[in-house]
Amino acid sequence: MKTIEIFDHIYEKSLMAVLVVDQVEEAVNTSKALLKGGVSVIELALRTPVALEAISAVVDHCPGMLVGAGTVINPEQVESAKKAGAHFALSPGLNTNVITESNNYDLPFIPGIATPTELQLALEFDCNCLKVFPAETIGGLPYLKSISEPYKHLEVKYIPLGGINIDNFSDYLSFPEVIAVGGSWLTPRALIKDKAWDDITKTAQKSLEILGK
Ligand code: 3PG
């Protein structure tokens, strides 16, 4: 998939579920439940030993799911994520070595930012689609509106994550610069542990209903 197609898909779908899994099957079953509910973009965080294997399994067994490797915090993980089959990658923060390596591997990368200084560094490295993390804690939508104002003419796009839930996500999406929102409200670990796949599907459906999708 081309980079532009990946960003278009994220924009079109609006919602990104954040997954942290301890077993490969959890990732596959959760992804199937999400797809059933209409959510087709995930961030699968590289925070557990099975994460890379889980990315490969979702890519292989869940056609239609766009899979982002999350918590990519060093260049080595870029190579691993690419080899695992991830379609794109994200990070809570901004590491210029990771950006450079993502370019080397042709892996679309969405760095995380929380301040204007980080935002400008991202722009210097030609990243103009940015994860805003931790969105709610740093001031929510009012904060995002403030920091984005000086860069409006550069058409920077944002994906807020962190503290976003079913009650506040649509507010973020009403801001035109926000192309999508993400979070674990779509895939709480407790539901994954309980194998509550129907509940995950229902939360996805309910979230899309709120969006009128
Ligand atoms: C992330 O990796 O983006 C966050 O863990 C998601 O934050 P949330 O759990 O508050 O949704």
Side-chain angles (χ1 to χ4, degrees), residues 134-165:
E136 273 292 289
T137 314
I138 57 178
L141 186 55
Y143 178 83
L144 178 55
K145 284 182 174 170
S146 296
I147 62 160
S148 63
E149 186 60 29
Y151 312 102
K152 237 187 174 97
H153 63 294
L154 299 173
E155 298 188 356
V156 187
K157 300 296 176 203
Y158 304 94
I159 305 178
L161 288 106
I164 295 182
N165 57 50

Side-chain angles (χ1 to χ4, degrees), residues 120-139:
Q120 286 180 204
L121 188 56
L123 294 179
E124 202 173 317
F125 278 77
D126 292 327
C127 296
N128 60 2
C129 180
L130 309 173
K131 172 169 170 167
V132 180
F133 181 82
E136 273 292 289
T137 314
I138 57 178

